[in-house]
Amino acid sequence: MKKITSILTRVGGGALIGLINGFFGGGGGMLCVPLLEKVLGVPTKKSHATAIMIILPISIASAVMYVLNGYADFSSTVIASVGVTVGGSIGALLLTKLKSVTVGIVFAALMIVAGLKLIIR
């Protein structure tokens, strides 16, 4: 029974993450990391790395839908892709170097700032 509950939690959590990411065009990782850590008990660094892998297919599916509906701006995509590739590489390297507590604090601070920015807007 425990295994079925774990599978249902992962499928349900994945569906919620996909819905959030598809609806807002991002943000699924902000939900994915706490789900992995707090609900499934995955260690901090592994949660962050796993979230990236989970977001990849979600992002591809969302991108296809946005392109098919004419919402994609390809000139911005090409330019931003350079920065995203460099930033993602640096972030992944930092994840391996920083302590889990530091990663958690930085993640929480970013979530708080993002939340405040949405409220203050």
Side-chain angles (χ1 to χ4, degrees), residues 1-60:
M1 186 64 165
K2 189 176 182 179
K3 181 146 177 109
I4 292 171
T5 303
S6 176
I7 290 169
L8 290 175
T9 300
R10 290 171 190 204
V11 170
L16 182 59
I17 292 163
L19 176 72
I20 296 298
N21 207 74
F23 184 74
F24 292 113
M30 293 293 208
L31 183 62
C32 188
V33 171
L35 175 75
L36 288 166
E37 277 188 88
K38 307 300 183 209
V39 177
L40 298 175
V42 177
T44 301
K45 287 184 177 186
K46 193 173 253 188
S47 291
H48 287 266
T50 302
I52 294 296
M53 295 305 298
I54 290 170
I55 296 304
L56 178 62
I58 296 169
S59 296
I60 291 169

Side-chain angles (χ1 to χ4, degrees), residues 87-112:
S89 299
I90 293 169
L93 179 63
L94 284 173
L95 182 65
T96 64
K97 304 289 183 196
L98 297 174
K99 293 181 180 178
S100 292
V101 172
T102 304
V103 173
I105 291 169
V106 171
F107 182 71
L110 285 172
M111 287 183 69
I112 290 168

